[in-house]
Amino acid sequence: MPSKADVKAWKAQLVAQAEQQILKLTDSDRFKQYLNTLAKFHQYSARNIDLIYAQNPQATQVAGFKQWQTDFNRTVNKGAKAIRIAAPIIKKLTPADQKRLDTTDERAIVGYRYLPIFDVAQTSGDPVLSAKDFVKENLTDHQNVTSLYNAFKDYLNQQTDLQVSEAPLAKLNGAKGYFQPSTNKIVIGGDEPDNALKLKTLYHEYAHSQLHGLKAAFKDRPRAYQETQAEAVAYVAMQNIGVDTSNYSLGYVATWAKDKAVIHNALSEIQQVSNKVIALSDGLTKQLGLQEAQKDPEHDLKKRSAQELNKSYQGLQQQIKQATDPQQKSELKNQLNDVLQEISDRTQKQLQDFVSQNPEIRQAERNTGETLKR
């Protein structure tokens, strides 16, 4: 049985390994690999993204041992080495605790435990869908990318205090676009022939507006730092919609000072804006019809066994209870209704088959003209 000191040292080593991995992000390819991880795990805390990347940079989708079985009908491969992430330990505070901590909160985080999770590559079983499975392959078609660009531009002009306009590239002094904090304006090179680059530029400048505007907490960052952050957000946003931007340089990537605190803060800031951009893009692609209708992970409920349908029903009920986002809850309810409809259809068919196979069983005939007598 390891001592408390051993456990503490092991936890510290996990965090130290994550820090070392991030400090090694000094070339574009390595940083792209990290940003790919960020795009896949944007729902995790910055600390856990660091931990996942440090232990398995190739990870794409992660879940706990039981979750793989119950939610995805997959099993963890024998001998697979777990990835550890931090989970807070929350304690109910006594009056004495509240006084000692000078707080009125009823609960507080008193520590962290490190939970085992596994990447999809460490499991076997049914196929697992990712966000890209719902995005049509022709999103990379120029017309569709242009539609998303125009929708994003219109959204920013109509729903935010930003003003987005276009100007000829010849007037931008070699830039593809820029953000002007003093006027809160974004200008994009309107005659850029590469529509994907045009969209990425809009993501880039939007990131500047959120991270480096006059009222932003990070407006005083050095320029190289700002450009790296904005390009990172743009890269994550394009990765999220499945558009390949590998030919675009990350420019100032990995030129930060070799200071751990600065790097961790920068990554945390990138994550916050990336989450916002990803949410906006997902909403716009749905409005534009650029997402396929979500289906069951089997792609066809009719191919699922009765036992699998029951598991899906129970799992969706649990997810609905835990969901806090209204849109996510609505989508889960739609999936639950689809499962219920399939169960109902099968039940009706089974009853009809039973009756046809047993002709001696007949439904009681009713005289529609009769009234019920009491």
Side-chain angles (χ1 to χ4, degrees):
M1 185 74 178
S3 65
K4 288 185 178 180
D6 290 336
V7 173
K8 185 177 181 180
W10 174 64
K11 291 179 179 180
Q13 184 180 8
L14 276 178
V15 177
Q17 287 174 350
E19 291 175 347
Q20 288 303 312
Q21 287 290 337
I22 292 174
L23 288 171
K24 291 177 183 177
L25 298 177
T26 56
D27 63 272
S28 294
D29 289 339
R30 193 177 291 275
F31 190 70
K32 282 183 180 180
Q33 193 175 38
Y34 177 82
L35 291 177
N36 284 333
T37 304
L38 178 62
K40 295 159 190 169
F41 298 123
H42 58 89
Q43 70 273 28
Y44 288 90
S45 68
R47 181 181 188 181
N48 279 333
I49 291 173
D50 293 351
L51 289 171
I52 292 168
Y53 178 80
Q55 296 168 79
N56 186 352
Q58 305 301 321
T60 58
Q61 292 172 302
V62 294
F65 188 93
K66 288 185 178 179
Q67 188 183 2
W68 278 121
Q69 292 180 325
T70 58
D71 292 353
F72 302 101
N73 200 29
R74 295 179 69 86
T75 55
V76 175
N77 298 333
K78 188 175 181 180
K81 185 178 179 181
I83 300 168
R84 297 278 174 169
I85 60 171
I89 300 171
I90 301 175
K91 175 186 174 183
K92 185 174 182 180
L93 300 179
T94 65
D97 291 331
Q98 290 175 322
K99 185 176 181 180
R100 176 172 51 83
L101 297 172
D102 190 24
T103 181
T104 57
D105 294 341
E106 294 184 356
R107 295 176 178 273
I109 296 175
V110 295
Y112 290 86
R113 54 196 175 113
Y114 286 78
L115 302 180
I117 57 173
F118 299 87
D119 179 52
V120 63
Q122 298 173 293
T123 67
S124 303
D126 293 344
V128 179
L129 294 182
S130 67
K132 289 182 182 178
D133 291 307
F134 304 129
V135 180
K136 292 181 180 178
E137 290 182 1
N138 65 0
L139 185 60
T140 54
D141 178 84
H142 277 206
Q143 183 57 46
N144 287 323
V145 172
T146 301
S147 296
L148 180 54
Y149 165 79
N150 287 330
F152 188 33
K153 178 164 64 76
D154 291 344
Y155 171 85
L156 295 179
N157 278 325
Q158 297 166 13
Q159 304 295 328
T160 75
D161 58 357
L162 289 166
Q163 296 180 44
V164 183
S165 61
E166 295 184 352
L169 286 169
K171 293 185 177 181
L172 300 184
N173 298 319
K176 300 295 183 181
Y178 65 85
F179 166 65
Q180 191 172 55
S182 60
T183 59
N184 217 27
K185 290 182 179 180
I186 291 175
V187 178
I188 304 295
D191 52 347
E192 166 58 52
D194 188 333
N195 292 321
L197 180 55
K198 198 172 175 181
L199 175 61
K200 186 185 76 72
T201 301
L202 182 54
Y203 282 138
H204 179 110
E205 302 307 334
Y206 174 71
H208 274 313
S209 76
Q210 300 302 293
L211 287 167
H212 313 128
L214 290 179
K215 298 180 180 179
F218 317 114
K219 64 180 184 300
D220 296 325
R221 296 285 192 229
R223 184 182 176 190
Y225 191 103
Q226 292 184 7
E227 292 301 319
T228 301
Q229 287 186 310
E231 191 69 7
V233 171
Y235 181 84
V236 170
M238 297 297 282
Q239 284 291 106
N240 177 65
I241 62 173
V243 178
D244 181 16
T245 58
S246 59
N247 292 328
Y248 303 137
S249 169
L250 289 180
Y252 292 93
V253 164
T255 60
W256 304 333
K258 299 295 190 297
D259 181 275
K260 292 182 182 180
V262 171
I263 290 176
H264 280 294
N265 289 339
L267 294 176
S268 177
E269 293 157 22
I270 288 171
Q271 184 199 9
Q272 292 170 27
V273 179
S274 294
N275 288 349
K276 190 172 182 178
V277 173
I278 285 171
L280 283 173
S281 296
D282 286 347
L284 292 171
T285 53
K286 285 179 182 177
Q287 290 176 23
L288 293 168
L290 295 177
Q291 290 195 17
E292 300 284 7
Q294 276 196 342
K295 298 179 181 179
D296 187 81
E298 301 304 312
H299 295 282
D300 191 350
L301 287 173
K302 297 187 183 302
K303 294 181 181 180
R304 305 211 73 182
S305 67
Q307 184 179 9
E308 289 170 338
L309 280 175
N310 286 331
K311 281 185 178 180
S312 292
Y313 175 77
Q314 294 170 2
L316 286 167
Q317 278 190 318
Q318 187 64 29
Q319 290 178 56
I320 290 170
K321 288 180 182 178
Q322 296 175 350
T324 56
D325 179 66
Q327 183 176 350
Q328 180 189 22
K329 184 168 285 192
S330 176
E331 291 175 355
L332 289 170
K333 285 182 178 179
N334 289 337
Q335 292 179 44
L336 181 65
N337 289 336
D338 290 342
V339 172
L340 283 173
Q341 186 62 53
E342 178 61 23
I343 292 173
S344 176
D345 291 346
R346 289 192 192 187
T347 302
Q348 290 298 321
K349 186 176 184 305
Q350 288 170 354
L351 286 172
Q352 291 170 4
D353 290 344
F354 179 78
V355 170
S356 64
Q357 292 168 12
N358 297 273
E360 68 278 6
I361 299 177
R362 298 174 59 85
Q363 289 184 327
E365 294 182 357
R366 289 187 178 181
N367 185 337
T368 56
E370 292 183 357
T371 59
L372 183 63
K373 296 180 180 179
R374 294 184 180 276

